[in-house]
Amino acid sequence: MNTDSDTIAAIATAGSEGCISIVRLSGPDALNITEKISRSAKKPTGATPNTVLYAHIVGSDGKDIDEVLLLILRAPKSYTCEEMVEIQGHGGRISAARIMRRCLDAGARPAEPGEFTKRAFLNGRLDLLQAEAVQDLVKAQSEAAANMALEQLEGGLSTAFNEIYDALIHLLADLEATLDFSEEQLLLPVYDEIKTLNILIMNKIERLLKTWPQGHILREGASIAIIGRPNVGKSTLLNRLLDKERAIVSPIPGTTRDTIEESILLHGIPLRLTDTAGMRTTECHVEREGIERTRKTIQQADLILHVLDASQPLDDEMQAFWRKIQQNKLLYVVNKTDIKKYNHSENLPKNRTYEGSLLNNEDVIRLKNCIYETITSEFNLPDQPHAVISERHRDLLQLAQRSLKQADQLMKEQIEEKTIFISTHVRDAIEQIGKITGRVYYEELLDQLFAGFCIGK
Ligand SMILES: Nc1nc2c(ncn2[C@@H]2O[C@H](COP(=O)(O)OP(=O)(O)OP(=O)(O)O)[C@@H](O)[C@H]2O)c(=O)[nH]1
Ligand SMILES: [Mg+2]
């Protein structure tokens, strides 16, 4: 356990009006500090673990600041595995700030973002995957994302990574054992086993990598670009999906000049919608800048809703543009069927085309379902999502995968002379997987990871 750490304090509740506010303390002096700044019938330092004491926090002038409950958690059975106190005061920014100030006066240090969870990791209560899940749970925008984070917090993902890590250690031990054999003693079946084990590990890594798109959509939200020629109904589409008049809609082509971003939950899936400037050749500098932004939005989108006007003919330029975009990223929205003159659907892929009028409520419901189904099938989103990897895990897994592929390549060649090089690749893979679970870590990695956490978490 990390016993020589100092005592940290932070306001753990949101900095706004609320029914209660919590100031958290963790470290060897947590109980002493609480005792110095409070008065209660029973002393915090003498309290039994997991008890709640009724108390008052006292200011430096001896006057009461707040009436509180002290939750006493003794090491090692606390979130951080250290001595901890949670001071629950009456909600409100001022009260919480005054209690916090008293904690600092009495010797605590302000906690860094995520420092409580970092201590929980350093003290062995959580691995890095579980620590990351804590923040995912805080940030979850949908029930699916929260369930996924909870499963990861409970070790759902750790088991899979630990299995890979242990298998790699096994592989390395087998490889290094062969170094003791002379060439004549070397038994080919041993190498066959090593090769097979390496392939098994690579398959496991591949399976985990395939879960990334699900995690990406449920954590960050699917990014949806609404594009098309001017006046086809893009802003109308944004407003209908949001159920509010967010963007200006008008019959004048070129109404939307800049990109407009909004978020919604569609049947539990977070979507980040971007309405864009209509694409056309123009001399107007402002409009050209808007169209440039449209191009960037298209590049970053997970799904592109390409709106078409059924009262206007298709043009060659647009059709040429589609061919440059991955077809699985496109969903054609043929709009204005109430004043339809052309049958665009004939020229479009059936399973990728929706037709209707955005002025008709039933058509909008149909469109919402169509977007939902396209995303769930494209990103393989199950009804009950399990813990899946994040971008950090994906990047490290890809490095591990590369190392193991190099090892595999060497195994196919004259293996006797190559064992040391193969071992080096396996060691690299072990390091990458270790960085995911936290078996391998360094200060910089932790600083980077916890910097994105809330203060007090
Ligand atoms: N008849 C009919 N008109 C529609 C429909 N959907 C949108 N409109 C009208 O089409 C016009 C243009 O709609 P917008 O949503 O502003 O079009 P836009 O694609 O955002 O246009 P720009 O911002 O100029 O690129 C408005 O007058 C809308 O009311 C529809 O289904 N049927
Ligand atoms: Mg518009």
Side-chain angles (χ1 to χ4, degrees), residues 180-444:
D180 299 334
F181 294 127
S182 67
E183 270 179 45
E184 303 80 67
Q185 286 175 304
L186 206 58
L187 298 170
L188 273 176
V190 175
Y191 279 116
D192 284 342
E193 274 173 34
I194 289 172
K195 268 190 248 175
T196 312
L197 183 53
N198 192 34
I199 290 168
L200 275 176
I201 297 170
M202 285 197 292
N203 289 344
K204 282 189 180 184
I205 289 179
E206 190 58 42
R207 275 202 293 279
L208 278 171
L209 279 171
K210 282 199 178 128
T211 69
W212 180 75
Q214 293 172 22
H216 158 65
I217 299 296
L218 294 174
R219 283 189 181 98
E220 285 106 44
S223 125
I224 314 278
I226 304 171
I227 65 157
R229 286 289 195 212
N231 211 42
V232 289
K234 299 179 298 300
S235 301
T236 308
L237 172 55
L238 175 80
N239 291 347
R240 298 309 310 263
L241 291 176
L242 291 173
D243 230 352
K244 66 176 182 191
E245 299 307 308
R246 168 67 181 84
I248 300 172
V249 164
S250 96
I252 304 161
T255 301
T256 309
R257 297 294 188 92
D258 203 351
T259 48
I260 303 175
E261 288 182 36
E262 284 289 331
S263 297
I264 54 159
L265 266 188
L266 179 65
H267 306 326
I269 299 179
L271 305 184
R272 289 179 288 125
L273 305 165
T274 309
D275 178 22
T276 62
M279 298 196 323
R280 65 173 169 182
T281 315
T282 171
E283 290 304 310
C284 171
H285 173 72
V286 179
E287 199 175 343
R288 273 217 309 267
E289 176 58 33
I291 294 168
E292 189 45 42
R293 289 183 188 194
T294 302
R295 290 192 203 287
K296 285 194 187 126
T297 307
I298 291 171
Q299 276 165 14
Q300 289 156 7
D302 295 306
L303 182 70
I304 298 162
L305 300 181
H306 192 136
V307 189
L308 299 162
D309 184 339
S311 70
Q312 298 292 327
L314 283 184
D315 57 89
D316 297 342
E317 205 186 328
M318 259 326 169
Q319 297 193 42
F321 164 78
W322 295 337
R323 281 192 280 278
K324 290 189 212 143
I325 298 182
Q326 264 176 285
Q327 286 306 299
N328 63 353
K329 273 189 149 196
L330 272 171
L331 180 65
Y332 300 93
V333 178
V334 180
N335 185 31
K336 305 198 190 182
T337 48
D338 53 319
I339 49 169
K340 180 171 170 173
K341 283 201 196 130
Y342 300 90
N343 197 1
H344 296 329
S345 307
E346 266 181 358
N347 305 308
L348 298 169
K350 220 176 166 118
N351 60 344
R352 289 268 154 196
T353 306
Y354 152 92
E355 211 178 6
S357 165
L358 290 167
L359 302 185
N360 178 308
N361 285 342
E362 278 170 20
D363 285 357
V364 173
I365 293 172
R366 225 166 23 84
L367 175 61
K368 285 184 178 176
N369 292 338
C370 180
I371 296 172
Y372 173 79
E373 275 156 27
T374 307
I375 293 173
T376 43
S377 74
E378 206 51 58
F379 293 94
N380 220 358
L381 298 183
D383 294 338
Q384 295 286 324
H386 293 291
V388 289
I389 64 167
S390 69
E391 197 159 330
R392 184 182 85 89
H393 312 147
R394 181 200 60 181
D395 294 347
L396 289 165
L397 269 177
Q398 281 173 341
L399 289 177
Q401 189 184 45
R402 203 172 307 154
S403 299
L404 295 181
K405 276 187 182 157
Q406 282 167 327
D408 182 60
Q409 193 53 41
L410 287 174
M411 283 176 201
K412 285 179 184 149
E413 297 168 17
Q414 276 294 316
I415 195 156
E416 293 81 355
E417 291 98 51
K418 302 275 166 83
T419 308
I420 290 173
F421 297 113
I422 297 171
S423 300
T424 310
H425 291 310
V426 174
R427 271 178 209 284
D428 285 346
I430 290 174
E431 185 171 336
Q432 307 311 340
I433 304 293
K435 281 190 214 163
I436 296 175
T437 61
R439 293 210 211 190
V440 176
Y441 70 86
Y442 40 87
E443 239 354 89
E444 235 174 60

Side-chain angles (χ1 to χ4, degrees), residues 117-118 121-122 125-135 152 158 392-393 396 433-442 445-446 449-450 453:
T117 310
K118 183 178 175 184
F121 164 70
L122 291 171
R125 187 180 178 279
L126 302 170
D127 65 23
L128 270 195
L129 284 158
Q130 291 171 306
E132 286 174 300
V134 170
Q135 185 67 349
Q152 186 172 326
S158 308
R392 184 182 85 89
H393 312 147
L396 289 165
I433 304 293
K435 281 190 214 163
I436 296 175
T437 61
R439 293 210 211 190
V440 176
Y441 70 86
Y442 40 87
L445 173 84
L446 297 187
L449 207 132
F450 288 103
F453 273 58

